[in-house]
Amino acid sequence: MIHTRQLRKSFGSNQVLHGIDLDVQPGEFVVMLGLSGAGKSTLLRCMNGLARPDSGTLQVGGIDLMARHSRRDLARQAAMVFQHHNLVPRLSVLKNVLTGRLGALPTLPSVFQLFRQADLDLARECLDRVGLSHKVDERTEALSGGQMQRVGIARALAQQPKVILADEPVASLDPKTARTVLQYLRDATRELGIAVVCNLHQVDYAREFGDRIVGLAHGRMVYDGTVEGLTEPALQAIYHPLVHPEPSAKADGRLQTSIIGGLS
Ligand SMILES: Nc1ncnc2c1ncn2[C@@H]1O[C@H](COP(=O)(O)OP(=O)(O)OP(=O)(O)O)[C@@H](O)[C@H]1O
Ligand SMILES: [Mg+2]
């Protein structure tokens, strides 16, 4: 679903991504950890076409993002879930979810927001998946923060994407609500075979919900492996990295359950 090789990205003289190699399979829930400024959002923004990498290869849902591609085509493959969910507060819950269908409509119906019955059915089904069937007609601004984030997830599901990219989706929620939101996100995407890359700051949530953990430090991948492998040395590599860790050779050429780079 997602394939990157030697992906690099700079902002001026600030090199932010130093050659990222990552493959994410359908239905896999990958949690990305790293200190603030490690490059997590930049990597997600590259995957969603919001930032253009300098070099390397990047494919998302079969689309080559280094070549010319249409935003509409990419929107059919990858949906984004944001920390502040970016919903329209005065619209109903259903209408917010339906905006996830706009990219799938032909141009004229999309301009006039003429949704088909199938779009309405899908939007309702997506709200059901996040436990909000009873809120379809409510104004979105009347919902709690956790419910709004679940609407954001339903909107992403309504795009019928192959990939969901979630950038700190639970950063503004209390722990109980955060867990509920992550559970809905993981269960729905697992059932639908959607690949997820989810940036988080909480190691506990990463352990609880991740199928696999990726750790970034200074724009380099310093860990790629299982939840069980996320031991103290791995956490050191992620959260107390050397200033410029050099990636070590990979014994078998793969990045399974390995700490990559030197430890301080
Ligand atoms: N649009 C931009 N223009 C210039 N520099 C940027 C831009 N976006 C990100 N950066 C820089 O890239 C680096 C990585 O930022 P990024 O937002 O990817 O980090 P992050 O790991 O998501 O951090 P956080 O956990 O705080 O969200 C930082 O040094 C940041 O200042
Ligand atoms: Mg970020």
Side-chain angles (χ1 to χ4, degrees), residues 11 14 16 34-42 168 201:
F11 293 104
N14 181 15
V16 175
L35 289 172
S36 190
K40 304 180 299 296
S41 295
T42 302
E168 299 189 37
H201 274 295

Side-chain angles (χ1 to χ4, degrees), residues 4 22 24 35 58 64 66 95 99 101-102 113 122-123 128-129 143 158 180-181 188 192-193 203 230 253:
T4 78
L22 179 65
V24 184
L35 289 172
L58 173 56
D64 179 357
M66 303 305 283
K95 284 203 172 132
T99 62
R101 296 304 301 151
L102 286 175
Q113 303 204 355
L122 176 62
D128 193 30
R129 285 191 183 279
L143 301 188
T180 307
V181 167
L192 295 166
V203 175
L230 193 67

Side-chain angles (χ1 to χ4, degrees), residues 2 44 47-48 78-82 163-167 195-198:
I2 301 176
L44 284 199
M47 289 173 180
N48 197 36
M80 196 96 184
V81 175
F82 301 94
V163 171
I164 288 184
L165 306 165
D167 200 358
V196 179
V197 182
C198 179

Side-chain angles (χ1 to χ4, degrees), residues 65-255:
L65 275 92
M66 303 305 283
R68 274 180 70 89
H69 61 273
S70 82
R71 280 218 58 79
R72 259 171 103 82
D73 287 346
L74 183 61
R76 287 199 190 120
Q77 305 298 325
M80 196 96 184
V81 175
F82 301 94
Q83 179 181 345
H84 296 294
H85 39 72
N86 296 6
L87 302 171
V88 185
R90 65 191 162 74
L91 287 187
S92 73
V93 166
L94 185 68
K95 284 203 172 132
N96 265 297
V97 176
L98 278 169
T99 62
R101 296 304 301 151
L102 286 175
L105 294 179
T107 310
L108 214 54
S110 84
V111 169
F112 294 104
Q113 303 204 355
L114 301 172
F115 297 103
R116 300 158 293 199
Q117 186 59 44
D119 296 313
L120 290 164
D121 293 346
L122 176 62
R124 286 175 189 277
E125 183 198 315
C126 294
L127 280 165
D128 193 30
R129 285 191 183 279
V130 297
L132 289 177
S133 323
H134 58 300
K135 296 282 185 190
V136 279
D137 296 322
E138 215 151 297
R139 272 166 87 99
T140 304
E141 62 199 350
L143 301 188
S144 70
Q147 288 170 334
M148 284 193 204
Q149 193 54 287
R150 280 150 64 190
V151 177
I153 292 169
R155 179 184 54 189
L157 295 174
Q159 281 179 241
Q160 296 188 303
K162 294 207 174 76
V163 171
I164 288 184
L165 306 165
D167 200 358
E168 299 189 37
V170 296
S172 9
L173 303 176
D174 67 78
K176 187 163 180 282
T177 309
R179 284 198 162 84
T180 307
V181 167
L182 287 172
Q183 181 109 38
Y184 276 117
L185 179 61
R186 190 193 55 189
D187 292 353
T189 51
R190 195 174 271 177
E191 267 184 60
L192 295 166
I194 298 171
V196 179
V197 182
C198 179
N199 289 348
L200 292 177
H201 274 295
Q202 300 86 347
V203 175
D204 285 358
Y205 300 164
R207 287 206 168 102
E208 201 171 327
F209 295 99
D211 290 323
R212 177 175 150 209
I213 313 290
V214 161
L216 283 195
H218 300 300
R220 291 184 166 91
M221 209 190 280
V222 294
Y223 180 79
D224 181 0
T226 59
V227 169
E228 294 72 35
L230 193 67
T231 53
E232 200 47 44
L235 290 170
Q236 283 280 330
I238 298 168
Y239 290 113
H240 301 281
L242 301 172
V243 178
H244 292 295
E246 284 304 322
S248 62
K250 290 165 243 155
D252 62 356
R254 301 187 70 220
L255 298 177

